[in-house]
């Protein structure tokens, strides 16, 4: 069975979506949609798209094309709510880039609408389908790090600089997503501080330092910046017996355990059992797996447990709380229980 799909937005990530859905046996691309004609022309030439695939500049017109069962959305986050709402009302399953929306209330509304329409609302949290992240989750679950203490994530680059959202909304969701998955819990307290250097309107934080506190007491610290030529994609979880490190910039050794701990000898703490263990990872394109899972969720009428709209909405709630803290110069935002709302 083939699922007719329209892909909205063919920037860098949207182009990858076109390639993956084009190559999947259970999908048939009906239309590629983007307001920029030159991008449509470029993707058609690059992937040698069949002439039968419609190239459309107006997304509202694209929703009226025959043969569509699903819509994949890789447009700016500020447009998600309007487009997803309209597509769900037309009866289409949704594959959305993250974040689902920029407001928690809008994300909840979309989740409820999808349920009412009995449609799949799937959010592309690609890292959760990455073999490195999946292996890391297993390692932590097995207790190989000992008692977990804290974590850190660094996500920096020199560009791109976004005009629709700040560094927090652009970058934080990836590491929050991984920490939540690895810890199997969600934050109950968050705080963030930002710095603005670039003269943009409206002003956007170019550097954000954020803190997440989990029910277990685990704390995660995030360093997010798009003005740093030292590109980093590095995340670590520190335990009493070692540290698990996911370094995305290391193609050959993206996941390692740095073993070691402290013992008290002769009135001093000394490091012992120091060694590095490189974890073998089966190579696979995470996005291909994501696209497959989305199509499978439609064919089997099953909601994804790790990438549903509700999972996406929870991440938006955390980002909104961090954003509120950012606007209040680092004020701590708390929620009493994992399923309650954040407040000052």
């Amino acid at each position: 069975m083939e699922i007719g799909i329209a892909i909205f937005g063919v920037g860098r990530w949207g182009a990858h979506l076109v390639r993956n859905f084009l190559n999947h046996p259970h999908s048939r691309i009906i239309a590629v949609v983007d307001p920029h004609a030159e991008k449509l022309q470029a993707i058609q030439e690059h992937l040698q798209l069949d002439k039968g695939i419609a190239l459309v500049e107006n997304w509202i017109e694209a929703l009226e094309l025959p043969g569509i069962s699903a819509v994949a959305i890789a447009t700016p986050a500020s447009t998600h709510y309007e487009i997803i709402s309209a597509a769900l009302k037309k009866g289409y399953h949704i594959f959305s880039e993250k974040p689902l929306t920029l407001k928690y209330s809008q994300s909840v509304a979309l989740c409820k609408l999808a349920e009412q329409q009995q449609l799949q609302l799937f959010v592309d949290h690609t890292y959760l389908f990455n073999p490195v992240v999946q292996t890391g989750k297993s390692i932590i679950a097995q207790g190989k790090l000992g008692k977990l203490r804290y974590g850190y994530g660094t996500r920096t680059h020199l560009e791109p600089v976004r005009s629709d959202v700040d560094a927090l909304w652009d970058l934080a969701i990836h590491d929050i997503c991984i920490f939540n998955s690895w810890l199997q819990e969600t934050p109950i307290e968050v705080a963030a501080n930002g710095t603005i250097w670039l003269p943009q309107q409206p002003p956007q934080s170019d550097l954000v330092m954020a803190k997440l506190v989990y029910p277990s007491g685990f704390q995660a610290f995030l360093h997010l910046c798009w003005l740093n030529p030292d590109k980093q994609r590095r995340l670590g979880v520190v335990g009493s017996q070692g540290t698990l490190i996911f370094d995305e910039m290391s193609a050959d050794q993206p996941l390692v355990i740095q073993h070691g701990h402290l013992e008290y000898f002769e009135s001093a703490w000394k490091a012992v059992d120091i060694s590095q263990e490189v974890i073998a990872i089966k190579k696979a394109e995470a996005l291909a797996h994501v696209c497959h899972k989305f199509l499978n969720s439609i064919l089997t009428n099953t909601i994804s447990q790790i990438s549903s709209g509700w999972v996406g909405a929870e991440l938006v709630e955390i980002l909104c709380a961090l954003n509120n803290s950012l606007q209040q110069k680092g004020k701590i935002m708390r929620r009493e229980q994992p399923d309650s709302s954040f407040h000052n």
Side-chain angles (χ1 to χ4, degrees), residues 27-77:
S27 65
R28 179 168 60 92
I29 298 180
I30 303 296
V32 177
V33 186
D34 196 283
H36 303 97
E38 64 276 12
K39 288 186 178 181
L40 294 173
Q41 184 65 32
I43 196 71
Q44 183 184 50
E45 294 175 358
H46 178 64
L47 295 177
Q48 297 183 329
L49 298 181
D50 186 277
K51 297 298 183 182
I53 296 176
L55 302 179
V56 186
E57 295 179 34
N58 187 305
W59 68 267
I60 296 177
E61 294 177 4
L63 291 179
E64 302 299 327
L65 293 173
I68 297 175
S69 298
V71 173
I73 297 166
T75 60

Side-chain angles (χ1 to χ4, degrees), residues 161-163 196-206 226-227:
V161 173
R162 301 277 296 273
S163 59
I196 299 172
W197 285 295
L198 296 180
Q200 292 200 84
Q201 290 299 328
Q204 308 278 22
S205 291
D206 306 308
W226 54 30
L227 292 182

Side-chain angles (χ1 to χ4, degrees), residues 87-105:
L88 285 172
K89 290 173 183 177
K90 291 287 293 185
Y92 301 146
H93 299 283
I94 301 296
F95 179 104
S96 174
E97 281 311 312
K98 57 205 168 294
L100 179 55
T101 68
L102 298 178
K103 293 182 179 180
Y104 178 56
S105 60

Side-chain angles (χ1 to χ4, degrees), residues 192-214:
N193 282 284
T195 301
I196 299 172
W197 285 295
L198 296 180
Q200 292 200 84
Q201 290 299 328
Q204 308 278 22
S205 291
D206 306 308
L207 166 69
V208 174
M209 306 296 284
K211 177 182 177 182
L212 314 170
V213 180
Y214 288 82

Side-chain angles (χ1 to χ4, degrees), residues 186-237:
T186 55
I188 55 171
E189 182 179 298
V190 302
N193 282 284
T195 301
I196 299 172
W197 285 295
L198 296 180
Q200 292 200 84
Q201 290 299 328
Q204 308 278 22
S205 291
D206 306 308
L207 166 69
V208 174
M209 306 296 284
K211 177 182 177 182
L212 314 170
V213 180
Y214 288 82
S216 61
F218 184 92
Q219 298 182 40
F221 301 89
L222 307 183
H223 168 202
L224 314 163
C225 185
W226 54 30
L227 292 182
N228 189 345
D230 174 26
K231 183 174 181 178
Q232 294 189 58
R233 297 287 185 271
R234 198 169 191 271
L235 182 144
V237 170

Side-chain angles (χ1 to χ4, degrees), residues 50-247:
D50 186 277
K51 297 298 183 182
I53 296 176
L55 302 179
V56 186
E57 295 179 34
N58 187 305
W59 68 267
I60 296 177
E61 294 177 4
L63 291 179
E64 302 299 327
L65 293 173
I68 297 175
S69 298
V71 173
I73 297 166
T75 60
S78 57
T79 69
H80 285 186
Y81 178 72
E82 182 182 10
I83 296 174
I84 294 173
S85 239
L88 285 172
K89 290 173 183 177
K90 291 287 293 185
Y92 301 146
H93 299 283
I94 301 296
F95 179 104
S96 174
E97 281 311 312
K98 57 205 168 294
L100 179 55
T101 68
L102 298 178
K103 293 182 179 180
Y104 178 56
S105 60
Q106 291 181 340
S107 292
V108 170
L110 291 178
C111 290
K112 291 181 177 179
L113 180 58
E115 289 180 348
Q116 292 168 3
Q117 298 286 84
Q118 297 184 336
L119 295 167
Q120 298 298 324
L121 174 54
F122 189 104
V123 184
D124 177 18
H125 298 300
T126 312
Y127 279 105
L128 298 184
F129 297 86
N130 187 316
V132 178
V133 173
Q134 293 174 336
T135 303
K137 179 180 178 181
S138 176
I139 288 171
I140 290 175
Q142 293 169 35
K144 291 186 176 181
L145 304 181
K147 181 176 176 56
L148 301 185
R149 289 175 169 163
Y150 79 100
Y152 54 87
T154 299
R155 197 165 290 268
T156 65
H157 57 239
L158 193 56
E159 62 174 356
V161 173
R162 301 277 296 273
S163 59
D164 57 329
V165 294
D166 62 10
L168 171 69
W169 281 94
D170 184 30
L171 301 172
I173 194 168
H174 307 295
D175 295 326
I176 297 171
C177 194
I178 296 172
F179 278 124
N180 288 1
S181 174
W182 280 6
L183 299 170
Q184 287 296 283
E185 54 182 350
T186 55
I188 55 171
E189 182 179 298
V190 302
N193 282 284
T195 301
I196 299 172
W197 285 295
L198 296 180
Q200 292 200 84
Q201 290 299 328
Q204 308 278 22
S205 291
D206 306 308
L207 166 69
V208 174
M209 306 296 284
K211 177 182 177 182
L212 314 170
V213 180
Y214 288 82
S216 61
F218 184 92
Q219 298 182 40
F221 301 89
L222 307 183
H223 168 202
L224 314 163
C225 185
W226 54 30
L227 292 182
N228 189 345
D230 174 26
K231 183 174 181 178
Q232 294 189 58
R233 297 287 185 271
R234 198 169 191 271
L235 182 144
V237 170
V238 181
S240 59
Q241 299 300 309
T243 299
L244 179 66
I245 302 167
F246 171 24
D247 188 349

